Amino acid sequence: MDFTAALTGDPRAAPDPVRRDAAAAAVFAVLAALLALTVDDGRRPDALGWALLLAAHVPLAWRRLAPLPVLLAVVAVVAPYHGLDYMHLAPIPASMTALYTVASTGRPMRTVIVGLSVTSVTLTMQLFVNPHEVVELLRVSGWVIAMLVFGASIRLHRQLVAGVVERAEHEAERKVTEERLRIARDLHDLLAHSITLIGVQTSVAAHVLVADPDRLDREALVQALDGIAETCRGARAEVRTTLDVLRAAPEGPLPDLASLPDLVRSSGAALSVRTAAAKIPAALGAAAYRIVQESLTNAVRHGGPGADVRVDVGLEKEVLTVRVTNGGAAPRGTGGGTGGSGYGIPGMRERARSVGGTLSAGPRDGGGFEVEAALPLSVR
C-alpha cells in the first residue's frame, strides 16, 4: 500500500479497520515492551505496570470506529501508569496514535478541546511525578501540541484533496454532457437536412414519373435520383465520422466554412463567403456550418427545391455574421420566428449561444424568411 495514500486517506474508509488496527496495536505493544525493558526513564514496570502498559494498547483496535472514546480509554490507563512513575517513554507511541486519530478525524473545535484537556492532564501528572523537571514539562507539552497540529493538517489536506477530486469529477461530467449535446445537435442537423433533401428529391422523381408518363423527362428523373444518391453518401460519411468521435477522441473533426459550398450546392442556394484570410476558430466554423445547414433544411422543407435561398457569410468588426434568406414562404408553425415548433430554430439559437453569439429568425418584410447570426471570433 502507498504510504502517502495510507497517511492522507480517510482512516475510517479503510476496509477491515478493526483487524488492521488490532495488528497495529500489537506492534505498538511489542515496541512499548522493548522500550520498557531497554530505556531508563522511570521505574521498571512490575506486574501492575505491565498490566497498565499492555491495557493501554487494547483500545487502539477500535480507534477508527470511535476515536474519542478510544483516546479517553487510553488516557484513563496511561494516567495512573505515569502517576506511578513507571518508564514514561513506553506508552508514548500508543498515546500519540490515539491523539493523532482524534485530531485527523474530528472537527477543529473538538481537536482544540481535546488538546487542552490532554495537555492539562499530562502537565498535572508531570507536576505530580517530577515537579522540578520544567524541561520535561515543556517537552511533553510540545509532543502533544505537535501531534494535534500534525493530525489537523492531515485532516485539512484530506479535505482539500477531496474537494479537488470532486471538482474534477463535476468538470468531467460537465464535459461529457456538453459532448453528448454537441453530438445530439450534429445528428439532428445532419439527419434533418439529409432526410428533407431526400424527401424533396423523391417527390420530384415521383412527379416526373406520374405527371406525364408518355413524355417522361428521363434527364430530370436521373438528376433527382442522382441527388438522392449523393445526399445518402454524404449523410453516411458524416454519420460515420460522428460514430468515430464516439469511439475515439472526445473532440472529433468538425465541419467548417470550407464545407459550405458542398452543403449549399446540394440545396441549390446561392452562397457568398467574405472572410478573406481570417482564421476562424473550429468551434465557430462548426456552429456557422450547422446554422446554415438547419436554415437550408427549413427553406427546402417549406419552399421546395426551387426556393430562392441565399447564404451570406462575412466578417464585421471581429464578428462572423451568417445570414440565410429565403424568398419563399416563412416556415409554418414558427410563430413569427419566435420559437419554432420543433428543435430547428431553438437548436440554432443554442448553437449560437454556445460560442457566445446571438441568433434571430423571423419573417422578412415583403415576404420570405430570414435567419441571421452574429458569432464573435473570441470564442470562450
Side-chain angles (χ1 to χ4, degrees):
M1 178 183 295
D2 185 82
F3 176 75
T4 303
L7 184 64
T8 60
D10 188 348
R12 293 166 294 185
D16 299 327
V18 175
R19 181 175 61 83
R20 291 170 178 264
D21 289 336
V27 173
F28 283 130
V30 173
L31 176 62
L34 292 176
L35 292 174
L37 293 173
T38 57
V39 178
D40 185 12
D41 188 22
R43 291 196 306 126
R44 191 76 63 194
D46 52 18
L48 177 59
W50 284 113
L52 292 175
L53 182 59
L54 296 179
H57 294 79
V58 174
L60 293 181
W62 295 274
R63 70 180 185 90
R64 304 192 215 197
L65 300 181
L68 188 57
V70 167
L71 176 63
L72 295 177
V74 171
V75 171
V77 177
V78 169
Y81 177 90
H82 287 298
L84 295 173
D85 196 24
Y86 291 119
M87 211 290 294
H88 297 287
L89 185 60
I92 293 299
S95 304
M96 293 298 105
T97 299
L99 196 61
Y100 161 79
T101 305
V102 170
S104 63
T105 58
R107 295 180 178 179
M109 182 57 66
R110 191 181 77 173
T111 301
V112 172
I113 294 175
V114 169
L116 292 175
S117 301
V118 172
T119 303
S120 299
V121 172
T122 302
L123 292 178
T124 301
M125 295 305 302
Q126 286 294 326
L127 287 174
F128 176 75
V129 177
N130 298 312
H132 305 294
E133 294 289 341
V134 178
V135 175
E136 183 65 18
L137 293 176
L138 295 177
R139 183 177 67 86
V140 173
S141 302
W143 273 108
V144 172
I145 296 173
M147 190 55 62
L148 289 173
V149 171
F150 177 65
S153 65
I154 291 297
R155 177 179 53 80
L156 292 176
H157 175 71
R158 188 184 302 130
Q159 292 176 348
L160 176 62
V161 171
V164 171
V165 171
E166 183 178 3
R167 286 193 295 272
E169 290 176 349
H170 288 171
E171 181 66 14
E173 291 176 359
R174 183 185 66 81
K175 289 184 177 180
V176 169
T177 301
E178 289 180 353
E179 183 62 19
R180 287 176 177 171
L181 290 175
R182 183 181 77 82
I183 293 173
R185 288 195 299 262
D186 286 350
L187 287 176
H188 168 268
D189 295 345
L190 164 65
L191 296 177
H193 178 75
S194 301
I195 292 172
T196 298
L197 288 180
I198 291 173
V200 171
Q201 291 161 344
T202 303
S203 299
V204 171
H207 176 75
V208 171
L209 288 172
V210 176
D212 193 351
D214 296 333
R215 291 185 298 174
L216 182 63
D217 189 346
R218 295 180 180 277
E219 184 178 349
L221 179 60
V222 170
Q223 184 177 0
L225 294 177
D226 286 343
I228 293 174
E230 182 64 28
T231 301
C232 289
R233 283 193 295 269
R236 185 171 63 249
E238 287 207 44
V239 169
R240 184 183 298 114
T241 299
T242 302
L243 293 179
D244 288 341
V245 172
L246 288 173
R247 296 189 189 102
E251 295 295 336
L254 298 175
D256 54 18
L257 298 183
S259 306
L260 282 180
D262 293 335
L263 174 67
V264 174
R265 188 183 307 113
S266 65
S267 304
L271 173 65
S272 173
V273 179
R274 297 169 285 103
T275 58
K279 185 177 180 181
I280 307 299
L284 208 66
Y289 179 94
R290 294 307 187 190
I291 289 172
V292 172
Q293 186 180 52
E294 180 63 27
S295 301
L296 292 177
T297 299
N298 291 336
V300 173
R301 179 185 295 127
H302 299 288
D308 179 19
V309 183
R310 181 172 183 82
V311 178
D312 292 293
V313 179
L315 279 176
E316 297 179 6
K317 297 180 180 180
E318 298 300 313
V319 175
L320 181 68
T321 60
V322 179
R323 185 179 293 106
V324 182
T325 56
N326 177 12
R332 295 183 297 274
T334 58
T338 59
S341 58
Y343 296 103
I345 293 176
M348 288 189 289
R349 287 201 177 100
E350 184 181 348
R351 282 194 176 277
R353 284 196 299 267
S354 70
V355 293
T358 58
L359 182 139
S360 60
R364 299 173 59 204
D365 294 336
F369 198 80
E370 181 176 82
V371 175
E372 184 174 5
L375 313 176
L377 293 186
S378 55
V379 181
R380 293 191 301 272

